[in-house]
Amino acid sequence: MAVGRLGTVEKALRVLTAISEQQPVTVTRLARALDMDKSGVQRTVVTLHDAGWLRQDPATSAWSLDAQALVVGRRFAGGLFDRARPHLEALASATGETVTLWVVRGPSFVVVDSVESSQPLRIVIPVGLEAPLTTGPGVAAFLDEEARGHLGDAVPPEDELAAVRARGYYVTTGGAAGTIAMGAPVYAPGPGPGASAVGTLLVTAPVSRAGAAELEAMAPRLLAAAGAVSAGRAG
C-alpha cells in the first residue's frame, strides 16, 4: 500500500529551502515568493525557529538559517568533513592563506569548513557561505556532464578544461574583489573513471600576495592535500 505524504512537512521544507536561497527574508516576502498563506508561513517559521533551524533579526524581522542547518549540513558532508579538517589546517599553515572546503550542491558551492589565514591581511570565508558554481567555472573540468549543466553557458571551452585537468587545479578571480583563489577537486573515496568531484579544496589570498610564482609554489601542497582527502587518508 502506498504511503501518503505529509503536506505540513512538504510545506516546512519549501519554506526552509526558500529561506536558504533568499536569506535574510521577511515572512511577507517569503509568502509572496512561495504563493502561500502568510499566517501559515508564519507558523512554519516559528516552528522551525523553536527547533533551532531558523533565527530572526529583531531589527528587521527577517529570517535566516540557524545552527541546526549547519549541524545537519556537516552530517551530510559526513566523513568528508572529518577527514579533511587536518589537511585544511596543515595547508593553511604551510601556505599562510585561508583554506576552505566547499561541497558541490546542485548549481552551488557551499562552505562546510574554513581555516583562516593568521596574517593581518586575510580573507574571511564563513562556514555556510553559498556561491554559484559560475564563480569558479574551472571546476567544470572535474565535474560530470550532469553537474556541468548547472554552469550553463559559463562552462569554459574544452581545450581550457583539458589544460585545467592536466595540471589538476583551477584558478579564479571571480570571488571577492582583490582576491585570487586556487582550487583542487575532492572526490568520494575510491572514485571510478569519470567520477564527478563532490567538492573542492580552495586556497584564497589577496592578489598582492599571490602572483604567478606564489601560486606555482602553493600548487603541489594543494594537490597533495586534495588527493589525501579524496583518498580518505588521515592528516
Side-chain angles (χ1 to χ4, degrees):
M1 182 177 68
V3 177
R5 299 186 301 185
L6 290 174
T8 53
V9 175
E10 290 183 331
K11 179 188 293 185
L13 291 173
R14 284 186 65 200
V15 169
L16 191 63
T17 300
I19 290 175
S20 74
E21 295 170 345
Q22 302 177 43
Q23 61 181 329
V25 58
T26 62
V27 167
T28 299
R29 201 174 96 198
L30 197 58
R32 189 182 304 121
L34 294 172
D35 193 23
M36 291 171 60
D37 175 67
K38 182 179 176 180
S39 63
V41 172
Q42 181 69 50
R43 289 193 298 271
T44 300
V45 297
V46 168
T47 301
L48 290 169
H49 168 267
D50 291 345
W53 286 88
L54 300 178
R55 66 176 184 272
Q56 187 179 35
D57 184 335
T60 64
S61 297
W63 293 91
S64 303
L65 295 181
D66 205 351
Q68 186 63 17
L70 176 59
V71 170
V72 173
R74 284 188 170 179
R75 287 173 182 164
F76 165 75
L80 175 62
F81 172 83
D82 293 332
R83 68 178 184 268
R85 180 68 186 188
H87 298 290
L88 265 70
E89 293 175 345
L91 187 58
S93 176
T95 63
E97 304 298 348
T98 295
V99 179
T100 45
L101 174 64
W102 301 69
V103 168
V104 174
R105 189 184 71 180
S108 304
F109 295 110
V110 180
V111 181
V112 296
D113 200 6
S114 178
V115 178
E116 289 183 17
S117 165
S118 59
Q119 303 196 55
L121 175 60
R122 60 184 182 273
I123 310 304
V124 178
I125 304 175
V127 171
L129 178 68
E130 186 169 355
L133 292 180
T134 51
T135 60
V139 75
F142 311 107
L143 300 177
D144 60 21
E145 187 173 348
E146 180 181 355
R148 280 192 202 182
H150 292 297
L151 281 91
D153 296 335
V155 176
E158 183 52 40
D159 60 336
E160 292 184 20
L161 295 182
V164 171
R165 277 192 293 270
R167 68 173 181 252
Y169 64 89
Y170 64 95
V171 176
T172 179
T173 55
T179 68
I180 190 167
M182 180 167 55
V186 171
Y187 298 91
S196 190
V198 297
T200 183
L201 205 56
L202 204 70
V203 178
T204 306
V207 291
S208 59
R209 284 204 304 263
E214 287 77 13
L215 291 177
E216 185 175 354
M218 285 192 287
R221 292 188 172 99
L222 172 63
L223 292 173
V229 174
S230 297
R233 296 198 297 270

